[in-house]
Amino acid sequence: MFPPEVHNCFFDATTNSKQAHHWLRKKKQMVMKMKSVRLIVNSIFLAIGDCGGPLMMRLYFHNGGARIWFSSFLQTVGCPLILFPLLFSFLRRRRLEEQEKTSLFLMKPPLFIASVVVGLLVGFDNYLYSYGLAYIPVSTESLIISAQLGFTALFAFFMVKQKITPFTINAIVLLTVGAVVLAINSDSDKLANETHKEYVVGFLMTVGAALLYAFILPLVELSYKKSCQRVTYTLVLEFQMVLCFVATCFCLVGMLVAGDFKVIAREARDFKLGESLYYVVVVFTAVIWQAFFVGAIGLIFCVSSLVSGIMVSALLPVTVVLAVICFQEKFQAGKGVALALSLWGSVSYFYGQFKSEEKNKAQKTQETQLSQLPVTNYVA
């Protein structure tokens, strides 16, 4: 028999161990729950921006808007909205840390430089995207952008060591063929009062925008990995704030060179829906595109750049259907074939990812079972 004091000490240690285990399990559950909430919220933001952004821009061009640099500028000018969650995060850190001096910004120089570089690329990508959407229908533009999924996987393979499977290669081929089918059927898809040359240039600009965006997504993920600091969601918002500010400045320079500021007031007066609705369209375009960037960058943080690209492609049918309904765009056989190929490519990629995850889970389960086997020492 143990003395009472030894028995009590053992009982207290056991109780404390159980409490600590329970606390750790509860904390892990809270972290997982928070991660799930972030994933859902960012997916919703991405869906709103990915479907609403192109439609708002087409509404601008469809009703008399013609300033490409200005529409590029609108895609990131809503970045001051990010200051609200950043201010909330700062006040929360200040309360929890209980220090006299709390850092206003968490970003260190390496990540700041990366955000500036990515911002310049985003500004240029916005211009390519706006140029394309000025001359091709939203449904066509969405089908072309779907090709970015395959190329995102390709760039991610080289930049962040993402695995390439036969399903991924199949998706790349199908999505590329879909874009080629659209190019072949371009003559029947031109907008009113548009030349063949304008359509071809717009088509090529959109292809360039898809390729550049496919490069930007893994570049952001690589920036997180090479940041030399712990990446939190607050840091992700700071990264996006700098990124969008730089992209806005890039487009602002383009506006100054193109003389957009001189004609915006006249363009508003001549807008088919009316001057007041012109500014409503402008404001909503900026807000909706900002939701897209919050969702896209947030999903890269929560999961990966590929998942962000997958979400963009998964929303493709919704955007195409909305474009046909809202703007009575033509939906010829060529678009149907391209849509089928795009969906086939996306499903192929999803299935490949599903099989890969199943294989990884099976390997982890086997490793866990092997590690739990009893180890015996055998002496001959």
Side-chain angles (χ1 to χ4, degrees):
M1 294 291 293
F2 290 106
E5 59 273 11
V6 176
H7 181 271
N8 291 337
C9 182
F10 177 77
F11 179 77
D12 291 341
T14 305
T15 303
N16 290 336
S17 176
K18 289 181 178 179
Q19 289 177 346
H21 179 72
H22 176 72
W23 181 82
L24 287 173
R25 186 175 62 182
K26 190 174 181 180
K27 184 177 180 181
K28 185 177 180 181
Q29 290 175 348
M30 289 179 63
V31 170
M32 292 299 294
K33 185 177 180 181
M34 183 59 68
K35 185 176 181 180
S36 299
V37 170
R38 286 174 179 168
L39 184 62
I40 293 171
V41 171
N42 282 287
S43 297
I44 293 173
F45 280 148
L46 180 61
I48 293 171
D50 192 39
C51 296
L55 295 175
M56 293 302 297
M57 288 182 65
R58 168 48 57 194
L59 186 65
Y60 167 77
F61 287 118
H62 184 73
N63 289 282
R67 311 311 300 179
I68 294 174
W69 275 113
F70 180 52
S71 61
S72 308
F73 171 81
L74 292 177
Q75 293 181 53
T76 51
V77 73
C79 59
L81 293 172
I82 306 173
L83 290 174
F84 293 104
L86 285 177
L87 178 61
F88 174 79
S89 176
F90 169 73
L91 295 175
R92 184 172 177 272
R93 291 199 317 272
R94 190 174 182 180
R95 178 173 57 84
L96 293 177
E97 292 175 3
E98 295 181 354
Q99 297 176 356
E100 293 183 0
K101 187 176 182 182
T102 303
S103 298
L104 184 60
F105 293 102
L106 302 177
M107 192 181 297
K108 293 181 179 178
L111 194 59
F112 177 79
I113 294 171
S115 64
V116 171
V117 173
V118 175
L120 292 172
L121 293 176
V122 168
F124 183 57
D125 185 64
N126 290 347
Y127 175 75
L128 294 177
Y129 184 87
S130 297
Y131 198 108
L133 198 55
Y135 295 107
I136 62 175
V138 177
S139 53
T140 304
E141 173 270 339
S142 298
L143 290 167
I144 297 171
I145 293 296
S146 68
Q148 63 85 24
L149 172 59
F151 291 101
T152 299
L154 192 63
F155 286 126
F157 171 75
F158 292 105
M159 297 170 68
V160 292
K161 309 302 179 185
Q162 182 75 37
K163 291 183 179 179
I164 291 289
T165 66
F167 296 100
T168 305
I169 296 172
N170 185 50
I172 293 173
V173 172
L174 290 171
L175 292 167
T176 304
V177 172
V180 172
V181 170
L182 284 175
I184 294 173
N185 291 273
S186 61
D187 286 335
S188 60
D189 196 35
K190 294 196 297 290
L191 298 171
N193 302 321
E194 182 185 65
T195 65
H196 179 72
K197 180 180 178 181
E198 288 175 334
Y199 182 92
V200 170
V201 174
F203 189 97
L204 293 176
M205 286 289 197
T206 307
V207 171
L211 289 173
L212 183 55
Y213 187 71
F215 175 75
I216 288 171
L217 288 177
L219 181 61
V220 172
E221 186 176 355
L222 182 65
S223 301
Y224 292 162
K225 291 185 175 182
K226 301 292 184 180
S227 62
C228 301
Q229 64 180 119
R230 178 172 169 267
V231 179
T232 62
Y233 194 68
T234 299
L235 195 64
V236 170
L237 290 176
E238 291 182 7
F239 184 91
Q240 187 195 340
M241 179 71 191
V242 176
L243 178 158
C244 290
F245 178 76
V246 172
T248 302
C249 292
F250 179 87
C251 295
L252 188 63
V253 173
M255 289 179 65
L256 291 170
V257 174
D260 284 3
F261 288 104
K262 299 177 182 178
V263 297
I264 287 177
R266 185 178 72 236
E267 186 177 76
R269 289 193 299 270
D270 297 337
F271 199 60
K272 293 178 182 178
L273 299 178
E275 185 174 358
S276 58
L277 281 179
Y278 174 88
Y279 293 107
V280 171
V281 169
V282 165
V283 171
F284 270 85
T285 301
V287 173
I288 290 173
W289 273 119
Q290 198 54 223
F292 170 80
F293 280 102
V294 168
I297 302 297
L299 278 180
I300 294 174
F301 165 72
C302 294
V303 194
S304 68
S305 57
L306 265 180
V307 172
S308 185
I310 287 169
M311 280 296 296
V312 172
S313 296
L315 293 165
L316 158 71
V318 179
T319 308
V320 172
V321 171
L322 288 174
V324 173
I325 294 173
C326 295
F327 299 105
Q328 289 78 49
E329 293 183 357
K330 299 177 183 178
F331 195 80
Q332 311 94 333
K335 281 188 183 181
V337 173
L339 179 59
L341 290 172
S342 298
L343 292 175
W344 183 8
S346 299
V347 170
S348 174
Y349 179 81
F350 295 149
Y351 182 74
Q353 289 297 102
F354 174 74
K355 297 295 288 185
S356 179
E357 287 179 7
E358 275 195 337
K359 185 178 179 181
N360 291 336
K361 286 181 181 179
Q363 289 178 348
K364 288 181 180 179
T365 303
Q366 187 177 8
E367 291 173 1
T368 303
Q369 291 174 346
L370 289 173
S371 65
Q372 293 175 348
L373 290 175
V375 179
T376 58
N377 294 325
Y378 175 76
V379 180

